Amino acid sequence: MKQQANLIRAGQVIEHEGQRWTVLKQQIITPGKGGAFIQVEMRNLKTGNKTNERWRTADTVERLTTEDRDFTYSYTDGENLVLMDPETFEQFMVPVSILGDSAPFLQDNMPVIVALVEGDPVGITLPPQVTLEVVEADPVVKGQTASSSYKPAKLSNGVKTLVPPFIEAGERIVVRTEDGSYVERAKG
């Protein structure tokens, strides 16, 4: 399906130079003179290589239709994630590399959505938020105002993030899977 380049969004799958690419980031740039263009960071679905490409906003690109299916994450087997279809209980293998930066947020029995193009997995969407334990948190520096100062902390999955000064090591917090940012203290 053809679409204008300025409609490209993260998560879409496009065909470019005979290869399939998943869009990681996009940004429309309007230079001081000349026409606007879109800068797209994308990953090759076969090789895993990343590249940046620019199109004028009026250019057209081939967008591939994806089918979303629900799965449950079971375990990782080497370079593959083993997912289970919650209806048929069949196992489905997906390369770990498809997760990209969100890989550390994957948890046992987590529901995930796999985007498929002609039966091939091209992307995985995790739930928007996960609960993790803070394993290290820097002490609060006296004199900092509580409203604006966040301190570094390390989560149980190894990801470093910024948390409010009242969060201590051992506490469970809710973070966004998209970027690892703090949402709130976990309830219960």
Side-chain angles (χ1 to χ4, degrees):
M1 170 176 88
K2 294 267 186 212
Q3 77 172 21
Q4 276 193 299
N6 64 337
L7 299 175
I8 293 174
R9 296 291 175 261
Q12 289 181 343
V13 179
I14 60 173
E15 194 166 297
H16 177 62
E17 296 176 351
Q19 302 277 328
R20 291 179 178 169
W21 303 83
T22 188
V23 177
L24 304 172
K25 295 179 189 165
Q26 89 287 345
Q27 179 182 10
I28 292 183
I29 299 169
T30 313
K33 66 189 218 201
F37 59 89
I38 183 164
Q39 171 93 21
V40 178
E41 183 181 322
M42 51 193 192
R43 179 185 293 123
N44 186 311
L45 292 174
K46 266 208 174 90
T47 65
N49 296 339
K50 286 184 184 177
T51 189
N52 284 309
E53 194 66 47
R54 286 181 174 184
W55 286 283
R56 291 184 317 229
T57 54
D59 289 347
T60 58
V61 293
E62 184 67 30
R63 179 179 172 198
L64 299 173
T65 308
T66 58
E67 172 200 354
D68 289 347
R69 286 192 44 206
D70 293 329
F71 287 97
T72 304
Y73 169 68
S74 295
Y75 60 93
T76 302
D77 181 18
E79 293 296 306
N80 289 310
L81 303 174
V82 179
L83 306 176
M84 185 185 67
D85 186 319
E87 292 171 14
T88 64
F89 301 106
E90 286 180 40
Q91 289 191 337
F92 190 70
M93 304 283 266
V94 176
V96 173
S97 59
I98 212 167
L99 271 172
D101 297 339
S102 58
F105 297 102
L106 192 62
Q107 297 175 343
D108 288 348
N109 300 318
M110 177 181 273
V112 296
I113 299 169
V114 178
L116 301 165
V117 172
E118 297 167 8
D120 295 332
V122 294
I124 292 186
T125 307
L126 301 182
Q129 300 174 346
V130 293
T131 302
L132 292 164
E133 186 177 331
V134 176
V135 291
E136 287 174 25
D138 288 3
V140 177
V141 177
K142 283 193 170 135
Q144 283 184 326
T145 56
S147 61
S148 65
S149 59
Y150 274 48
K151 63 182 184 179
K154 188 174 178 185
L155 302 172
S156 55
N157 64 351
V159 172
K160 292 186 172 151
T161 190
L162 294 172
V163 297
F166 57 83
I167 298 292
E168 301 294 331
E171 288 192 65
R172 293 173 58 75
I173 62 169
V174 177
V175 295
R176 286 187 182 86
T177 54
E178 183 182 8
D179 57 8
S181 61
Y182 172 83
V183 178
E184 65 185 1
R185 193 181 254 164
K187 295 173 178 68

